[in-house]
Amino acid sequence: MTESISWKYAFKVWYRDFLVWTRYWWTSLFGALGEPVLYFVGFGYGLGALIKEVEGVPYLEFLAPALICSAIMHSASFETTYSSYTRMEIQKTFHSIAMTPVSVREVVVGEILWGATKSLLSGGVMFAAIAIMGLVHSPMALFAIPVLIITALLFSSLGMLMTSFARDYDFFTYYITLGLEPMFIFSGTFFPTHSLPPLVQRLTWLLPLSHPISITRGLFSGKIVEGFWISLLWISVLTIAIFRWSIRRMENRLVV
Amino acid sequence: MSLTEKTKIIEAKNLVKKYGELTAVDGISFHVNAGEFFGFLGPNGAGKTTTMKMIYGFSPVSQGELKIFGMSPQDDLRNIKRKIGVAPQDMSLDPDLTVIQNLQIFARYFDLTKEQTEKKCEELLNFFHLKEKATQPIDHLSGGMKRRLLVARALINDPEILILDEPTTGLDPQSRRVMWERLDDLKKKGVTILLTTHYMDEAEELCDRIVVIDYGKIIEEGNPKQLIQKHGVKNLEDLFLKLTGKGLRD
Ligand SMILES: Nc1ncnc2c1ncn2[C@@H]1O[C@H](COP(=O)(O)OP(=O)(O)OP(=O)(O)O)[C@@H](O)[C@H]1O
Ligand SMILES: [Mg+2]
């Protein structure tokens, strides 16, 4: 297939998913925000009462930006694994869209874009709530937005890559329990990674989630963190590579 | 296109489709003229769906040549798909959407304008007796309604070629008649129709020309009435059994 991507058609697929979402958006946001709010209240206030300050900021402020990033990770991942897989295998939606002028590749791209968008919608609501609560101390926080967009695209693509390997839903359970959850814990969400043993610390650098967390956390208190550019470069390269790889694999899976 | 000028709208030469080791379509050659009602018959697993998938480009051709509107699916897929409507065998309506949304979203994929979409949806819902169900979710439809919606959706772009993979499977005799009438209307409008069916009376009634496929090969082709005469059988069903034997395939 030498055919290139027409973004116009990819966005038609995006629109299909958006249209469906408008019918249950309230439940969807409620579901996506439930968990982070729980962590926020439980850990932020509960643990925050004991810890007071981490890296020079109150624990709640330390936690808030990280929870935005991990909420985006979770939401994007769920959308392009469980939901995309259902549309592909159970509902045959991919196949029926591919009977129209839209190509298989554009279907996959549209799905990835939608997964990213959906996660940014819940991430956006959290961002706003945290700002209203007065936990953002610098207008530099606005620079976090493009970083969050990359994060959304990264995990949306990674989810699609997993879907390209999946033969059943169990596969995603493994991906989430063995992949995403450890990443959630060890990427510096709840505690700074430098409190880990040096070797583990170095390994956490490889975890994609650790970068948006450290960058966003810095920006929220008006700082450009050490290694900002290299982190940004790493997640950007990773996003592009996984995006392309997932599309190629999905195409090979679908077009037989 | 007029019915008299015999344009070959689909042309296949020694078409082969392999899924790994399995040869699903084993060197078939056929052509379909513009305006023709063309039937693909054959036992389960014969390769009918696979052939159709190659025509609308979902399945790449392994060997041989395939031309639709004179174009090859490998090079001009988007342009081919613009002029084709497909009602697939597996009833893949969008269960997340309502009846009318199923049509509207397809109109969007085909780049119809808002006005065109509105007009076409109205027309198709009437044509297929689905007007009352327009705002219902798909799972509120009966099997017959789903099949009709599937064909309605395939017509959203006013296709020149309509591909129907078992459009009447699971329908009661009444719904089947309604479907036949609709298909007959479409044929009169000059739409080229490709049909697969396991109902031999249906093929006999509707098709100008059929091919019988077995194990991925064409074993007979021609006009149903003439074939019945040629083989000295009562009807197409007897001919089918005579040609393909009585053993199970799947
Ligand atoms: N995606 C696929 N991967 C591997 N084998 C396939 C695939 N699709 C079809 N086949 C095989 O190819 C052969 C032809 O299948 P096809 O679906 O074209 O048959 P058919 O004539 O449409 O049958 P039916 O009347 O049951 O619908 C079968 O042996 C089938 O198992
Ligand atoms: Mg079939």
Side-chain angles (χ1 to χ4, degrees):
Chain A
M1 300 265 130
T2 48
E3 200 186 346
S4 61
I5 299 168
S6 153
W7 295 94
K8 177 180 93 173
Y9 287 109
F11 272 104
K12 286 174 195 275
V13 178
W14 176 94
Y15 177 81
R16 181 252 164 233
D17 291 341
F18 171 74
L19 184 67
V20 175
W21 180 82
T22 56
R23 292 201 350 223
Y24 69 94
W25 66 274
W26 176 245
T27 336
S28 161
L29 277 184
F30 190 77
L33 297 175
E35 206 182 84
V37 167
L38 218 60
Y39 282 120
F40 192 71
V41 176
F43 282 77
Y45 289 97
L47 211 57
L50 301 173
I51 300 173
K52 300 283 187 272
E53 273 196 0
V54 181
E55 293 184 329
V57 296
Y59 189 61
L60 212 55
E61 281 173 36
F62 174 82
L63 189 62
L67 285 179
I68 299 178
C69 296
S70 63
I72 288 174
M73 171 184 88
H74 278 118
S75 169
S77 303
F78 269 94
E79 189 60 23
T80 51
T81 54
Y82 288 101
S83 305
S84 289
Y85 185 83
T86 304
R87 287 193 279 273
M88 171 173 72
E89 288 295 328
I90 316 295
Q91 302 181 176
K92 309 283 177 204
T93 313
F94 291 15
H95 186 167
S96 31
I97 302 176
M99 300 181 316
T100 73
V102 184
S103 70
V104 169
R105 185 177 301 188
E106 287 147 2
V107 173
V108 176
V109 173
E111 286 278 309
I112 293 175
L113 292 176
W114 169 247
T117 308
K118 190 179 171 186
S119 71
L120 287 167
L121 288 167
S122 38
V125 172
M126 281 184 69
F127 197 125
I130 285 164
I132 290 167
M133 289 169 73
L135 299 174
V136 181
H137 289 302
S138 163
M140 270 172 78
L142 289 175
F143 290 121
I145 293 171
V147 180
L148 296 177
I149 294 175
I150 296 172
T151 311
L153 286 168
L154 169 59
F155 286 103
S156 192
S157 306
L158 192 57
M160 191 54 82
L161 184 65
M162 292 304 130
T163 296
S164 78
F165 285 100
R167 294 292 146 194
D168 51 33
Y169 288 110
D170 292 341
F171 187 84
F172 300 132
T173 313
Y174 288 112
Y175 169 53
I176 287 166
T177 336
L178 302 176
L180 292 186
E181 291 312 322
M183 177 143 56
F184 177 48
I185 302 295
F186 289 103
S187 290
T189 314
F190 296 106
F191 50 85
T193 48
H194 58 67
S195 49
L196 292 164
L199 178 69
V200 182
Q201 235 185 86
R202 230 163 290 151
L203 288 175
T204 63
W205 194 91
L206 292 173
L207 301 176
L209 182 65
S210 67
H211 302 277
I213 288 182
S214 76
I215 290 176
T216 311
R217 189 173 274 155
L219 291 170
F220 269 44
S221 47
K223 285 195 299 264
I224 302 279
V225 290
E226 198 189 312
F228 177 92
W229 293 110
I230 186 87
S231 280
L232 198 58
L233 186 68
W234 166 233
I235 56 169
S236 304
V237 167
L238 211 53
T239 304
I240 293 167
I242 295 172
F243 179 74
R244 297 175 65 123
W245 189 23
S246 69
I247 293 167
R248 191 151 29 121
R249 280 203 48 100
M250 284 300 281
E251 224 170 11
N252 289 341
R253 174 181 178 140
L254 287 161
V255 182
V256 289
Chain B
M1 274 177 237
S2 88
L3 301 181
T4 45
E5 56 172 284
K6 286 214 169 167
T7 324
K8 286 180 185 174
I9 203 164
I10 300 173
E11 220 178 347
K13 281 187 200 142
N14 304 316
L15 201 58
V16 175
K17 178 69 203 185
K18 290 190 174 131
Y19 295 112
E21 296 286 286
L22 180 98
T23 304
V25 173
D26 195 3
I28 62 172
S29 301
F30 65 91
H31 70 271
V32 180
N33 297 316
E36 204 169 26
F37 204 128
F38 192 87
F40 276 99
L41 308 183
N44 290 134
K48 305 180 294 295
T49 299
T50 302
T51 305
M52 295 195 158
K53 280 187 177 166
M54 285 191 278
I55 293 172
Y56 63 86
F58 196 75
S59 215
V61 171
S62 305
Q63 278 165 45
E65 198 184 36
L66 180 61
K67 284 268 151 79
I68 301 115
F69 309 112
M71 298 181 276
S72 126
Q74 210 189 333
D75 307 326
D76 273 316
L77 189 53
R78 206 185 310 266
N79 289 327
I80 293 173
K81 288 199 291 183
R82 275 185 218 288
K83 300 198 275 181
I84 292 187
V86 187
Q89 184 174 5
D90 58 14
M91 285 246 246
S92 51
L93 292 166
D94 198 325
D96 294 330
L97 300 173
T98 65
V99 169
I100 193 157
Q101 282 177 327
N102 261 275
L103 297 177
Q104 287 164 340
I105 200 79
F106 253 56
R108 183 176 281 266
Y109 301 142
F110 278 103
D111 297 309
L112 267 65
T113 64
K114 210 164 169 239
E115 293 72 42
Q116 288 172 322
T117 304
E118 236 165 70
K119 189 163 156 275
K120 202 70 207 170
C121 288
E122 171 83 16
E123 180 193 318
L124 288 170
L125 290 174
N126 284 326
F127 192 60
F128 285 98
H129 306 292
L130 290 163
K131 198 68 194 283
E132 284 92 78
K133 299 282 172 185
T135 55
Q136 303 270 311
I138 297 306
D139 54 9
H140 288 195
L141 301 185
S142 71
M145 289 171 180
K146 280 185 194 160
R147 285 281 174 205
R148 292 204 307 266
L149 180 56
L150 202 64
V151 178
R153 192 182 70 173
L155 290 168
I156 198 83
N157 56 327
D158 277 321
E160 287 179 35
I161 301 176
L162 177 61
I163 297 181
L164 304 169
D165 200 345
E166 302 192 22
T168 57
T169 296
L171 298 194
D172 64 25
Q174 288 83 356
S175 313
R176 215 139 67 86
R177 298 283 150 170
V178 174
M179 187 70 86
W180 290 3
E181 281 169 26
R182 299 298 99 172
L183 297 183
D184 206 48
D185 292 342
L186 290 167
K187 182 183 155 54
K188 290 200 182 98
K189 282 195 211 161
V191 180
T192 308
I193 303 176
L194 250 66
L195 172 83
T196 68
T197 180
H198 291 296
Y199 299 111
M200 294 304 134
D201 56 334
E202 183 167 297
E204 204 175 319
E205 168 91 19
L206 296 171
C207 297
D208 300 321
R209 220 146 51 81
I210 58 161
V211 288
V212 180
I213 305 180
D214 200 9
Y215 298 109
K217 288 194 164 77
I218 293 179
I219 52 170
E220 186 57 284
E221 61 178 303
N223 169 276
K225 302 255 161 7
Q226 287 168 0
L227 287 176
I228 291 167
Q229 253 183 5
K230 173 179 152 194
H231 289 268
V233 286
K234 272 206 316 287
N235 53 36
L236 202 55
E237 178 127 359
D238 287 349
L239 173 68
F240 186 84
L241 291 171
K242 188 179 167 192
L243 289 171
T244 58
K246 296 204 167 136
L248 283 180
R249 298 310 152 95
D250 265 348

